[in-house]
Amino acid sequence: MTGNNQTLISEFLLLGLPILSEYHLLLYALFLVMYLTTVLGNLLIIVLVQLDSHLHTPMYLFLSNLSFSDLCFSSVTMPKLLQNMQSKVPSISYVGCLTQLYFFMVFGDMESFLLVAMAYDRYVAICFPLHYTSIMSTKFCASLVLLLWILTISNAMMHTLLMARLSFCEKNVILHFFCDISALLRLSCSDTYVNELMIFIMGGIIIIIPFLLIVMSYVRIFFSILKVPSTQGIHKVFSTCGSHLSVVFLFYGTIIGLYLCPSGNNSTVKESVMAMMYTVVTPMLNPFIYSLRNRDIKRALIRVICSKKISLLWQSFGLNF
């Protein structure tokens, strides 16, 4: 080894999904349908929030950003996975791998932060309803979202630059379906101490602390709703928070299961399956959770559809006048 941190390979092989040939076409179709569902579902929420003025509230500002983050989060990995499933050599270039790593961390971290923001929004709405408008002002929410994007972009850039300084000499087979940071570190022939230290520090800030804040928010909400005298009020609170809790358990549950549970002999298969849960399944389920359990989204969809029909009717009548 020389003292230079020079990359000696130009591409990696992504071998994280060992698929039997007889199931190849079926799984390809399944992944394609899941990805298209993710794109269409999250786009629908984004469009509805933009078009319907009734949804111009802090909660739906965070939701629209979550949908955008989910859409991009899935798009970072799924198109390349689908391409590699149709290729005899499932490869990705060195630059493409670092680019994928960067955007994967941006949108993954952003989802974690947005879940905290949505939990805080529900906490203020339920525990301090009279002060909700003043606390969750438009300026505050917009500034918060902007700050979260700056933090995620900066964190992803730091990890990507730290990865770019490493050397990759001989091994270029990534036992994953995307360029995961831990999988890349295992291939490096350089000293990865700084990278691992920053992953440990920033991982606590981006995963552990947000999860604890969400738990604290819902503990406070739980004790607050116990003071609500009416059964109808309690049911309304649980209905409002149910969808958010579902997303939290899906997202953090798979991440904790992947990174905190001990790995067995089938660690590679386990990592791939668990990664599919929080990178593909969760972004696909989010639109269903929010649309099927959220009356505001349903009503907004009806209003948008009806308004389009009415405008078309007026245009047709206007042609006759």
Side-chain angles (χ1 to χ4, degrees):
M1 286 291 295
T2 62
N4 298 327
N5 284 327
Q6 181 179 1
T7 301
L8 304 179
I9 60 176
S10 60
E11 68 177 11
F12 297 97
L13 299 180
L14 297 171
L15 302 179
L17 285 178
I19 301 174
L20 297 176
S21 57
E22 55 265 31
Y23 300 114
H24 189 275
L25 184 59
L26 176 62
L27 289 177
Y28 179 84
L30 176 63
F31 292 151
L32 179 60
V33 170
M34 292 173 66
Y35 177 62
L36 292 177
T37 303
T38 300
V39 172
L40 295 176
N42 285 290
L43 275 178
L44 177 62
I45 291 180
I46 295 172
V47 170
L48 286 178
V49 173
Q50 293 296 320
L51 293 181
D52 195 297
S53 59
H54 296 84
L55 300 181
H56 292 173
T57 62
M59 175 181 176
Y60 294 105
L61 169 65
F62 297 138
L63 178 57
S64 62
N65 276 272
L66 179 66
S67 294
F68 176 75
S69 180
D70 280 336
L71 191 157
C72 297
F73 191 42
S74 183
S75 297
V76 169
T77 58
M78 285 303 290
K80 189 61 181 177
L81 171 62
L82 293 171
Q83 178 187 348
N84 285 341
M85 289 182 69
Q86 294 296 314
S87 175
K88 295 182 179 180
V89 182
S91 63
I92 184 172
S93 67
Y94 172 78
V95 175
C97 191
L98 290 184
T99 302
Q100 186 184 61
L101 172 66
Y102 170 76
F103 286 107
F104 179 83
M105 298 193 68
V106 167
F107 298 116
D109 294 349
M110 190 61 186
E111 180 159 354
S112 180
F113 284 142
L114 286 172
L115 291 176
V116 179
M118 294 174 72
Y120 179 71
D121 175 78
R122 292 302 86 203
Y123 165 72
V124 174
I126 295 170
C127 298
F128 305 98
L130 299 179
H131 302 283
Y132 177 79
T133 304
S134 59
I135 296 176
M136 302 300 291
S137 63
T138 303
K139 182 178 180 180
F140 170 76
C141 293
S143 301
L144 178 60
V145 171
L146 178 61
L147 175 63
L148 295 181
W149 279 112
I150 293 174
L151 290 176
T152 56
I153 290 173
S154 301
N155 179 64
M157 180 61 70
M158 178 196 67
H159 285 292
T160 305
L161 292 177
L162 287 175
M163 185 64 67
R165 59 184 280 275
L166 301 180
S167 298
F168 298 90
C169 307
E170 298 178 359
K171 298 179 181 179
N172 70 332
V173 178
I174 300 176
L175 300 178
H176 221 309
F177 64 91
F178 68 95
C179 291
D180 183 52
I181 188 169
S182 58
L184 284 173
L185 290 179
R186 286 195 291 265
L187 296 181
S188 176
C189 54
S190 302
D191 182 10
T192 60
Y193 173 77
V194 176
N195 299 68
E196 293 171 353
L197 178 63
M198 294 310 300
I199 290 173
F200 178 78
I201 295 174
M202 299 308 298
I205 295 175
I206 294 173
I207 300 298
I208 304 301
I209 292 179
F211 179 71
L212 293 177
L213 289 175
I214 293 173
V215 172
M216 290 172 56
S217 297
Y218 278 99
V219 168
R220 295 291 300 272
I221 290 173
F222 176 75
F223 284 109
S224 177
I225 63 177
L226 292 179
K227 301 177 183 178
V228 180
S230 66
T231 305
Q232 182 179 2
I234 295 176
H235 174 74
K236 183 177 180 181
V237 170
F238 274 114
S239 177
T240 303
C241 300
S243 58
H244 182 231
L245 279 174
S246 300
V247 174
V248 169
F249 287 132
L250 281 171
F251 183 74
Y252 286 102
T254 52
I255 291 179
I256 292 173
L258 176 60
Y259 293 105
L260 298 185
C261 292
S263 300
N265 296 327
N266 60 336
S267 59
T268 300
V269 177
K270 175 187 173 181
E271 287 182 5
S272 298
V273 172
M274 296 297 289
M276 287 290 294
M277 288 298 297
Y278 75 87
T279 60
V280 179
V281 178
T282 302
M284 180 190 69
L285 292 181
N286 283 353
F288 290 100
I289 292 172
Y290 283 111
S291 60
L292 294 178
R293 296 179 57 89
N294 193 307
R295 294 181 180 179
D296 293 337
I297 294 292
K298 295 178 183 177
R299 292 170 181 170
L301 179 60
I302 294 173
R303 283 193 294 266
V304 170
I305 293 176
C306 292
S307 64
K308 293 296 182 181
K309 289 183 178 179
I310 293 173
S311 63
L312 290 175
L313 285 174
W314 278 110
Q315 290 177 6
S316 62
F317 283 122
L319 294 176
N320 297 326
F321 294 150

